[in-house]
Each structure stands twice: as C-alpha cells, then as structure tokens.
Amino acid sequence: MTAYVVQRLLLMLVTLFAIITLTFFLMHAVPGGPFTSEKMLQPEIQAALNAKYHLDDPLWLQYLNYLRGVLSLDLGPSFKYAGMSVNEIIAEGLPVTMKTGALALICVVALGVPLGIVAALNRNRWPDTLVMVIATIGVAVPSYVIATVALYVFALRLGWVPTFGLDDWRGYFLPVFALSGFWISFIARLARSSLLETLQQDYMMTAKAKGLKRGTVLFKHGLRNSLIPVVTVLGPVVANLLTGSFVIEQIFALPGIGRHFVLSITNRDYTAIMGITIFYAAVLMVMIFIVDMLYLVLDPRIKYRADAK
Amino acid sequence: MSTPLLSVSNLSTSFFTSRGEVKAVRGVSFELRAGEILGIVGESGSGKSITCMSLMGLLRSSGRVIDGSALFEGRDLLTLDEDELSALRGNDISMIFQDPMTSLNPTLTVGEQVIETILRHRKVTRAAARARAIELFELVRIPSAAKRLRSYPHEFSGGMRQRVMIAIALACDPKLLIADEPTTALDVTIQRQILALLKELQGRLGMAVILITHDLGVIAETADRVLVMYGGMVMEEGPVRELFARPSHPYTRGLLASIPDLRDDTHHRLTPIPGSPPDMLRPPKGCPFAPRCAHAMAQCNAALPPLYDAGPVHRARCWLHHPQAPRVAGITAELVPA
Amino acid sequence: MTDRMTDQTVAIEIAPEMWVPATRDGAAAEYIAAPSLTFWQDVRKRLWANKPAMLGLGFIILLVLAAIFGPMLSRHTYFEQDLKLSNVPPLFQTYAVTDSAGATTRFFFNSGNLNLYEVTPSGEVAGLLRPAKKDLIKKQQQFKFGDREVVLDTAKQQLSFADGAALAPGGWQWNMSNLLGTDQLGRDVLARQLYGARISLTVAFVATLVNFFIGVFYGGLAGYLGGKADTIMMRIVEVISTIPLTLYVILIMVVFNSGFLSVVLAIGSVYWVDMARIVRGQILTLKQQDYVAAARTMGASTPRILVRHLLPNSVGPILVTLTMLIPSAIFIESFMSFIGLGVTPPEASWGTLTSEAVETLRAYPYQLFFPAAAISLTMFAFNFLGDGLRDALDPRLRT
C-alpha cells in the first residue's frame, strides 16, 4: 500500500520536474529572446529589460532561480503586462476555468458512465444503437466545431443562451457541453465495451451460480470491475479538459486561464507561457495522483503488484 | 428404488448463432440419486458442460433449452423463472468451475464472496455469516481461515482458490454440487488433493455430485456412475467398475485406450482416436461417432442408434448392440441378450 | 425409466446389407465444416463485411484523391484575393430587372454585406453593382438599370422599384464562378478547402509516420533488450505519457514559430508513446514464443529477428493504432491552427478555415459548414475504419 503511494508520488514529482525543466529550456531555446519579436528596442532599453528580468545571467543560474521560484510557488513576472505577475494572471483566470472544467468533468462521469451502461445492457437493441450513434458523432466531431455550431444555433439563432460570458447561469451550458462532448462520448463507449467484457468474465458466471440477485450481480460484481478502465482514463480526461479550454474559452470569450494562455502565446509572453504550462502540469499531476489513489481503492491487485516489486 | 434427486429427460439445448442453430445437447436423459457421484465424461464440445449450464439456467444469451425436463425434488428446473432459479442456485444446487484463477471476483475479498452467498440464501446476521465462512474455510482446509477471509483472490494459489470456490459452493449445504472440470486447470498434485477433498466432503455432507471432466482417470477415482457424452448425446452410461471393465461403445473404448497406464509395463502405444468431433451446426444423420469409428457400418451412417442395454445397469448407444449386428470382440462379445 | 422403454421398443428389423463396414473417404474423419481461412484472409473478409468501415475507407480514398488532384483542377488558387467579391455565398436568389430598351440585368442581394452583385445568365458572378445614390439617413441605396431605378432598403433588407412596387426574387441560382462561395478576402472557398485538405492530410500522414517510426523503434528496442534497459525506457515513457502532450505541441510551435514544418515536427515528435507501448508489449509476448527461440538458435541476427519475425506479428495492433493516430493528428493540427499556431496565412488547413469562418459566423454562418463538415466527415471515416480494423483483428470475435 505505502509502497504504491510512495511510488506514485515519486513518479509525480519526477514528471513535474521533467516538465519544468523541459518547459524552461524550450522557452529559452526560442531564437533571439523574449523581447526581440516585437519592434526593435533601443539597445539600452533592451539591456535594462534584460537586467530587470535577469536575462543576462548565465542560463544555468536563470534555471536555478526559476526552479527556486517555482518551488516557492512564484512563477515570476509577466513579460508583457508590466506590474502583473504570472501568479496573478493565473489567479484571475482560475475561477472561470475551474468552474467550467469541474462542471465538464462532472458531466463526463455522470453522463458518460450511465450511457455506457445502458448501451451495454441493451446490447444491439435500440438504446444501444442510439447511444453509439451519438457517441460516434461526439468522438468524431472536434470540440471547436461542436462549440461554434452550438453557439450559432442556440445563442445566435434561438437566443436561448448568451453568446459569451458567464454572468448568466445559462452561459455555462454551451462551454460545458462543448468541452465535455467528446469525453462523454468517449467514456460512454469505453464504459460500454468494458462492461460488455466484464459480463463475459468467469466470475460473473460464478456470481450468478451463487444465486445472487440480478442487481447484485450487475452492480457489485460487474460494474465495479468494469469501471477500472474508466477510472484510468480520468487523468487524461482532465488534461484534455484543460487544453480543450483553450479553444472553448476563446470561442465563448470566457476570461479563463486557457484564454490567457492563448493570449500569452500570441503576445509571446514567455514567462506566462512557461508559468501556465507548469501550473497546468501541476494540476494534472495532482489529478493523476487522485486517480491513482481511486484506482487503488477499486482494484486491490494494484496494491499487491506494487508491493511485490 | 426411491425417487431420484434429479431426473433429466430428453434435454435439448441449442445455440442460435449468426451461422445457424448449433445443437449442443440433443436429448440427454439421466438420473441422479441423493448422495451419488455421477461423472460426465467427454471431449470438449461434447455438450457435457452445456447440459449442466442448461440445468442451472446459466446459458449464455444465444443458448436456449428447446426441449426436455429436469425434475429436481419434484420441480422442473427448466420451467422455473429466474427468481425461483436464483433462489435455488448456490443454495440447493451449487456449482464450481474449471478455472479458479478467473472464477473469483478479483476485486472482492474471498470472505465477502463467501459471506454474500450465505446472506443471499439464509436469514442470518453478517456476524453469523462470517462465522459460517470461517467454518467453511476450515472445512476445505484453508489454513488460518479467519485471517484469510480478508485476502483477495490474487493472494491465493490456484489450489487454494479452488478450495475457496468449494467453500462458496458448500456455503448453504447444497443437495447437489455440479463440478465442471474442477481440476483441469490445476497442477497434477493439487488435482489429487482437490479431488480427495471433494470426495471426502461429499461423503461427509451426503450431497450428490455431478463431476464433469474429460479425464477418465478422474472419473475412475471419484465417481460412482458414468455418463459418456459425444456429439451432444449420451453414448454410454453405467457404474464406473462396470464401464471400465466392459466398455460397450467404441468411443468409450477409444477413450480408455488413450489413457496412459503407468502400471502397465507392456508399453502399449497410446492410441488417440483419429479425427475430430462432429460439427454441431450440421450434425450427421446417423451416429455422430461413426466417421471416427473403427467399426462403422452402413447402418451407422443411416440412422442414429438407440441406447441399448449392455448389462442390467449398463447401456450403450451403438448399433453393434442390435440383435442382428455382427459381434465385435470387446464390445459385444459378452452381450447380455435383452 | 421412460427413456429406456422407448429405446428398447425400437427393435426394428434392419436389412443385412446395412451391417457391412461403412465406406468412407479418408478425409471424412478429419472433416472440418467451417472452411479454414488464414488470419489475414479472415481479417479482410470481416473488414469487407463492415459497412461503416468500408464507407470510411471509400471516403478517405476519395478525399486523398481530391486533395492531390483537386487543387490542380480548380481554376482558382487558394491565395488569390478579390476583395470586391468577398463573402459571396454558394447559393443565392437572383432578381432580374429589364429596362425599356429590353436589356435585362440579373443580380443577387448579399444580406451579409448589403451589396448587390451582377450575375451572368450562366450563373457566374460578374461583379459588384455600384449604387447611383446613397441615402445614409433613410438607409436607402438607389441602383440604376438603364432607365429603371431600384431602391434597396438596407434596414429592412428589401428591394423595390422607384414606384414602391416590391421586387420579387426570380429563383435560386448556384454560384458557378465559386462553387462554394468566397471567404472574407474574396478567395475561392472550394480551392481553399481542397488545399486545406491537402495540408491537413499531409500533416496527419507525415506526423503519423514520424510517430510510427519513433514508436516502433523505441518500443521495439525496449521490448527486445528487456531487463534494465527496458525498465528505464518504460519509466521514461511513463513520465512522458503523464505530460499533457497538447501543451508540448504548443510549446514546440512557440519555439519553432508557426508553419507547416513546425506542425509536422511538433505533432510527429510527441505522440509516439502509445505506439512504443504496443510494440513493446507485442514483442515481449512474442519473445517467449518458440519460433523466435528457434530462429535464434539457428543463428539469426537481432535485426533480422526483429524485422522478419516480430514485426509481422505485431502488424495488427500497430495498424489499428496508426489508423487512430491519423484522426488525432488531424484534430491536433486543426486545433493548433484554430488557436493561431498552425500553418501561416495565406496557407489554409481545416483548422484555419474553421477559425476564419468563426470570425464571420454572425453574418455568414454558412461559411462554417464546409470546413466543419470536411473535418467531421474525415474524423468519422478514420474512426469507422479504425473501429472496423480493430474488430476485424480481434481474434476473440472470431466465430
């Protein structure tokens, strides 16, 4: 048990470290430097800026300083917004991204899993066909297409929901729908195939042969086992909800971190790009860790295998 | 003779696949007395497992019982609805399966898997069910029973898992235990232990057992009576001694010849039966074994033989037992006229 | 025992000739009813029978042909602009006005930009009609056709003659000069679609190939070496697989700047992890099989074993992963282009086309249709094909 937790924690830290390092050196590999892409600056201003942001230090020193900053949860100043730190940019966008992201995640689990179960239990009958058709559309049509089509139909044409912003609670519908559409479909398909496979397992036969009631067989023996693969993909789901928010926040003009990230890319705000990437990675690592722990609860074999190593 | 515990007659089961109807079981009849061990032997695909799954109502979705009856204590198992059947399963009739590695739910403790069975069929408290589970673990000789209840299946060896399966099967003192190839997936030494345990528990608890196997050696050691199945039909049936001493069907003879006998130092060559079992999608019109039978006659391909008496309690489905048929040494030489 | 009684009563008379040994052909005993197929024959048979997969394959073939030859056949180029003819729809309602001299002018009204365009009888867009007079206060424009005057009320979006009689549309006309209309810079949408397909597909195929080679090489090496090397290599894969890869594609794009090559490089270098895992897994299982040991004892060299024995057996899962990787590459490319990090204008990909269409969504919603449909249909096609392949290759489904 502890061996597994420690192992996962270590992996998480190593990954995070790898991400910080990779991001740092990638951003410093940009030809020229952070201020060259804009209009030509006078040399003395350039020098002053470089000194201000410690860009004239040797790279390894910059790296160590940055690492120290990250460890003390300081992601440094923004290059483009004078007087604003990356931390502040993140803090500003976080509530919006968190809210839409959390709602989307809830939708993914609360809709995807039941849809998959319904489909599996009605295999080759109309509910199955219906779910699979919807899920196939959801998996194939890119989120930004869903988002723009939904925006046009429900906001511009029908006027049911606002076209942008979250001031009205109805404003959440479209972003959350667009953000979660793919993953609801994906999870529905996964849950369906996983449950179908579980239903074929020998231990399901044993459960029936013991005379257990249909509900017990299905929920206690079938569902729990078939959810294991679903839980495994929740980590990547969170990652993709985060990156998916880049376009969704842009389309619906939501002031979230994703929009800030895209803005900092167009502005070449390197510290912001770096900081937000690391922030994303950290959030993701924590989510993956949570998923791993959930996995531990669901599947006792994991614990055993990790301890045996 | 008292009324049998289980009396199956003319059981027929088919699977309806995309390629057509697969007739897996074709008119199987047999009886089982309380406390008796009946061995059902046959190659894979002979219909022996499907026969038992039909009785338990555990056929996969494409399978259906199309004819026959199976009276268990006066009730026809084949007409019971799912609720009645599930109340019976694990209670009066229980079952153990071939592969103990996959037959236990990997995500529940073995204790829970025993306890839930008890709680399903008995009105007892959880604590009482737990006590009973410990008792059962001791019965099947799982060491430090109380502690092992909290273990998961993957923490057990194959033999121990089969003991857990037996404990689950015995949880509610069944009158009938169906053991579907209970030792096939185990090491040879473990096989013997499990068989000995089964036999001992059967004697102690007085239940009837149907032992499904493809291994005549297992039958010889364990069963009282044997049913030899081939192509979804009973080919021969009789008491173990009788059947081993005077196999009255060429197929049974073939099976016996293919068992290596270590005590025999004459070094007979092992003779496998040539050919493969019939395609049950289009079963032959005559005897299903005829294409592989050394004694096949024109009649064998023309019509299905009935079950003939080969002795007072011994029957065989072979045309050689017809009064007009030519005598064949070893099969019909000592035929008792009907 | 009812059964016995019925059986014994069948003591039927049987003709003596029935007791002769049965004639049989040697093959009868070994007869197996289902015709046996080789693995690949079976796969092909089942893929053929899978209609969505075949439909997907057909669509992909058509698409590839269109992407290769389409831009050559089109009379427009993807970059040629004509601002006078911007945002022309593919389908419009024409009006006809005949003056007293008998000269008829056909034109249509573009409600998005409130312009009138002259249309030739064959349906070609001839050009913009200039208003003779503009009244900004009353929001009216006057057009002169010979001696007749037509008034366009831009507020009500109505056309009427000078005497107030409304002008009736003369029926729908397909735009023959730009079959799918033009975009906001007056570029031909069809030409840009075809060119976009070319870019998107090229990015997807090349990036997938790059991933394929990296993945097969890495996974193959790890699986083949085994032991410590394998453990370390797989730990690295584990670390990489927890990194949100889209972020890294974005970062790489930032470093290398937007453009076709960067996109290929960025996507190609990041998504090989699954492939590596699958190849390694396949090789680990296959390594234990006897024929590999046999090849080894016969002195076959390591690369030879890898190429001749292991890879052919891993083809199935690799193929499925590849088929699934292509749509994700298309998706990532369009995603990058959509947020402004993909190919640079005037180059077009489905992502930039969609993103351009979104800018004009309010006035010209139909412009979204073509790029959105193109990418969605392509995703469908690849998904269907991938699913079909996986089902066809899954031996558990064999009956």
Side-chain angles (χ1 to χ4, degrees), chain B residues 19 29 31 275-276 279 282 290-291 293 296-299 301-302 306-309 312 315 319 322 324-326, chain C residues 1-4 7-8 10-14 17-24 28-34 399:
Chain B
R19 292 169 54 203
S29 304
E31 284 176 351
S276 48
D279 174 19
R282 272 163 289 158
C293 183
M297 302 167 293
Q299 174 66 14
N301 287 327
L307 270 170
Y308 285 102
D309 277 342
R315 297 185 299 160
W319 281 118
H322 190 276
Q324 297 168 325
Chain C
M1 289 201 177
T2 48
D3 187 34
R4 170 182 301 207
D7 279 357
Q8 291 301 305
V10 222
I12 32 161
E13 278 297 314
I14 288 162
E17 68 268 19
M18 295 308 280
W19 298 117
V20 300
T23 49
R24 70 170 108 187
E30 297 288 346
Y31 169 72
I32 304 164
T399 44

Side-chain angles (χ1 to χ4, degrees), chain A residues 16-136:
Chain A
L16 207 50
F17 175 76
I19 290 175
I20 295 172
T21 309
L22 194 62
T23 313
F24 180 87
F25 286 105
L26 263 179
M27 283 301 97
H28 284 76
V30 175
F35 298 108
T36 44
S37 55
E38 288 284 306
K39 48 213 166 276
M40 293 302 276
L41 291 166
Q42 285 161 341
E44 51 268 38
I45 297 175
Q46 177 90 52
L49 278 170
N50 279 349
K52 186 184 171 205
Y53 292 114
H54 301 287
L55 291 173
D56 43 3
D57 286 345
L59 197 59
W60 61 268
L61 188 61
Q62 287 184 46
Y63 173 63
L64 287 183
N65 279 331
Y66 190 74
L67 213 53
R68 203 166 46 209
V70 172
L71 282 179
S72 56
L73 302 181
D74 176 12
L75 295 170
S78 158
F79 275 161
K80 284 287 141 79
Y81 299 104
M84 201 154 173
S85 73
V86 177
N87 285 25
E88 282 164 345
I89 293 180
I90 292 174
E92 193 188 287
L94 188 60
V96 169
T97 303
M98 276 279 283
K99 272 188 259 175
T100 45
L103 281 174
L105 187 60
I106 291 170
C107 285
V108 167
V109 177
L111 292 175
V113 174
L115 283 176
I117 294 171
V118 168
L121 294 184
N122 292 291
R123 190 182 190 180
N124 295 335
R125 287 197 290 267
W126 70 264
D128 183 27
T129 316
L130 184 69
V131 168
M132 289 313 282
V133 166
I134 295 173
T136 308

